[in-house]
Amino acid sequence: MKFQDKEFIPVLLGGDINTYSVARAFYEQYRVKTYIFGKFPTGPSYNSKIIEYHPNPKIDTDDYFLKTVNHFAKKHADKKIVLIGCGDSYVALISKHKSELADNIIAPYIDFELMNSLQQKETFYKLCEKHGVDYPGTLIYDASMGMDFEMNFQFPVILKPSDSIQYWEHEFETQNKVYTIKDREELERVIGQIYGAGYTDKLIIQDMIPGNDEYMYVLTSYSDRNGKVKMMCLGHVLLEEHTPHGLGNHAVIITEPNEELMMKVKNLLEDLHYVGFSNFDIKYDKRDGKFKFFEINTRQGRSNYYVTGSGFNVAKYIVEEYVYGKELELKLAKDEHLWMVVPKAVAFKYVKEEANKAKLRKLIKEKKMVNPVFMRGDLKPRRFLAMAKTHLSHFVKFKKYYS
């Protein structure tokens, strides 16, 4: 693979498909090698030709993070260092320590106070009310309430932490990313398990919107340093993962336009004077015909290559603005494109709607599709075997967990 010397070096924090997708975007747009600091020597970024990967379990701690990135920036003082977090905890670290970063580091993130408030889902729902953005019926649960509370919606319900960063810091055996709760007894039992593990923040109990994965959507936006939205890409999610720790992770997405929905979110983001990438999880509620928003992620999502694959390279937005000083135009994704990280046979087995299957066939036939981890030229035998094993494991995972 050929590389070019540029005025900047991408440095990513993380290790999952998010990091590889962003690194691939940097390589395809600028032919540069990306440096990644992750916790463990595994995942799609490990053993990649387009990446120099440095594992250390302490990278998500304040002191080691600062020492590592500032040392790297000093070592490459003649370059701009484009620093991107590929997970909530990494983004929070960058935002929290922005004022302590070396002068040649570009960190396109909002201030930590705003970021921390947006990580709390109850803050996001208040913003939704202000801007006419719909969200599911919700009860914000606090531990001080005990079990003396009532909901104005029926079971089954969805249960999830308000603060996902703190939640994953307190592991327990039955820990899930999101819970589908069938009755009051189960709700009280799971609440007890979560707080018993050491979690102290609030929980979100929500009306469960009917419909399978094919009612889900994901919206990714980029806002410039002046808080103006410059890119929006809406994806129709046709399939999600169903393993306990991966529940809700996207598996199949088709880009789909909806300008009315995008404009509501544009107004919300610009009112906040938001900066950088944002990512929203959405579900269409067939009961009232409304799109209900679940949360905002203050970063690009792990499925971000669906944006790059649709013609909106995520690396280009940061580099063109912060490195080359260009004024960006607002662009909305309109053309259909398929992003898929499961075997085709899995997609066709578990996607139910015939109209959606027809779209899959059409886009596959037209070669308007991508699996971000299988990049031509970046398939060392060791890495290819690891990625192929993960890819094929979806047959077993969906058979075991999909219902």
Side-chain angles (χ1 to χ4, degrees):
M1 304 190 80
K2 296 182 179 179
F3 296 93
Q4 295 179 8
D5 186 50
K6 296 289 185 180
E7 301 91 336
F8 64 92
I9 300 174
V11 174
L12 312 184
L13 302 176
D16 65 1
I17 193 173
N18 193 326
T19 57
Y20 187 80
S21 297
V22 177
R24 178 172 174 174
F26 271 106
Y27 178 77
E28 290 177 336
Q29 186 68 38
Y30 300 106
R31 292 295 185 265
V32 293
K33 179 168 283 191
T34 294
Y35 291 75
I36 294 181
F37 296 93
K39 295 184 77 170
F40 307 111
T42 57
S45 293
Y46 186 60
N47 276 323
S48 165
K49 293 180 183 178
I50 63 171
I51 291 163
E52 188 166 316
Y53 190 89
H54 298 272
N56 192 301
K58 297 187 292 184
I59 189 60
D60 62 349
T61 61
D62 294 74
D63 291 343
Y64 189 79
F65 153 75
L66 264 177
K67 177 183 175 182
T68 300
V69 297
N70 280 338
H71 175 74
F72 185 91
K74 185 177 180 180
K75 186 178 176 182
H76 301 277
D78 60 329
K79 304 283 188 181
K80 294 286 187 181
I81 306 303
V82 182
L83 183 62
I84 301 175
C86 297
D88 291 333
S89 60
Y90 296 114
V91 169
L93 274 174
I94 297 171
S95 178
K96 183 179 179 182
H97 295 288
K98 271 202 307 183
S99 63
E100 301 166 75
L101 296 174
D103 290 340
N104 61 324
I105 293 178
I106 295 168
Y109 293 101
I110 52 178
D111 291 337
F112 183 68
E113 185 178 351
L114 175 57
M115 179 177 289
N116 194 45
S117 69
L118 288 175
Q119 297 280 8
Q120 313 302 313
K121 293 178 178 62
E122 59 180 309
T123 303
F124 173 64
Y125 297 138
K126 290 177 182 176
L127 285 167
C128 287
E129 289 181 3
K130 180 179 178 182
H131 292 278
V133 175
D134 297 296
Y135 64 94
T138 299
L139 171 70
I140 309 296
Y141 176 85
D142 188 281
S144 64
M145 295 163 66
M147 297 304 164
D148 183 25
F149 66 92
E150 297 295 332
M151 305 173 295
N152 61 359
F153 41 88
Q154 303 298 313
F155 287 97
V157 298
I158 298 297
L159 177 68
K160 56 191 175 184
S162 180
D163 186 339
S164 58
I165 296 176
Q166 187 199 137
Y167 175 69
W168 289 112
E169 291 173 350
H170 300 280
E171 296 183 13
F172 57 97
E173 188 176 351
T174 57
Q175 189 175 34
N176 286 356
K177 183 179 178 181
V178 178
Y179 298 85
T180 301
I181 305 293
K182 66 180 183 297
D183 55 33
R184 183 77 183 212
E185 180 183 353
E186 184 184 12
L187 179 62
E188 294 185 4
R189 182 174 71 252
V190 176
I191 288 174
Q193 291 170 347
I194 292 172
Y195 285 108
Y199 179 77
T200 59
D201 213 313
K202 296 174 182 178
L203 296 175
I204 306 296
I205 304 172
Q206 280 185 329
D207 178 26
M208 182 177 170
I209 298 173
N212 62 13
D213 298 349
E214 292 165 76
Y215 288 83
M216 295 297 300
Y217 289 78
V218 56
L219 175 61
T220 301
S221 301
Y222 179 79
S223 303
D224 69 12
R225 69 176 84 206
N226 298 313
K228 298 298 182 183
V229 174
K230 296 300 181 179
M231 182 276 294
M232 306 191 87
C233 184
L234 180 69
H236 184 181
V237 180
L238 302 189
L239 193 63
E240 295 182 334
E241 293 183 33
H242 287 259
T243 59
H245 279 245
L247 189 65
N249 288 342
H250 305 137
V252 180
I253 300 172
I254 294 179
T255 308
E256 183 177 294
N258 186 324
E259 189 168 339
E260 180 183 356
L261 187 68
M262 291 176 178
M263 288 302 102
K264 286 184 179 180
V265 178
K266 179 178 180 289
N267 292 337
L268 184 153
L269 290 169
E270 293 186 348
D271 184 42
L272 279 172
H273 206 74
Y274 188 90
V275 171
F277 283 105
S278 54
N279 178 264
F280 300 83
D281 292 322
I282 310 161
K283 190 169 186 179
Y284 177 75
D285 191 340
K286 59 186 177 183
R287 297 171 300 183
D288 57 12
K290 295 179 179 179
F291 289 88
K292 307 286 178 69
F293 282 65
F294 292 118
E295 62 186 353
I296 178 175
N297 295 302
T298 54
R299 54 174 171 77
Q300 75 288 346
R302 71 190 303 277
S303 57
N304 66 80
Y305 201 87
Y306 91 88
V307 181
T308 297
S310 299
F312 299 84
N313 186 292
V314 295
K316 185 178 179 180
Y317 279 89
I318 296 172
V319 172
E320 296 300 298
E321 180 184 8
Y322 287 91
V323 177
Y324 298 131
K326 294 183 180 179
E327 181 69 26
L328 305 174
E329 297 179 16
L330 171 62
K331 293 186 178 181
L332 309 180
K334 296 179 180 179
D335 298 330
E336 287 187 340
H337 191 272
L338 172 61
W339 174 96
M340 187 161 63
V341 293
V342 295
K344 295 174 187 175
V346 170
F348 282 107
K349 181 175 181 178
Y350 294 99
V351 172
K352 304 301 182 184
E353 294 289 335
E354 285 302 323
N356 290 331
K357 288 184 178 182
K359 283 186 179 182
L360 288 177
R361 293 189 193 97
K362 175 178 177 288
L363 293 170
I364 290 170
K365 183 179 180 180
E366 293 173 353
K367 301 189 184 308
K368 294 180 180 178
M369 66 161 290
V370 68
N371 182 325
V373 302
F374 293 106
M375 177 183 173
R376 182 174 294 179
D378 192 20
L379 296 172
K380 289 181 184 177
R382 191 172 171 186
R383 180 181 180 274
F384 174 76
L385 287 173
M387 293 303 96
K389 182 179 179 181
T390 299
H391 189 66
L392 295 174
S393 72
H394 287 292
F395 283 105
V396 176
K397 291 175 182 176
F398 273 86
K399 185 177 180 180
K400 181 177 181 180
Y401 292 107
Y402 187 92
S403 61

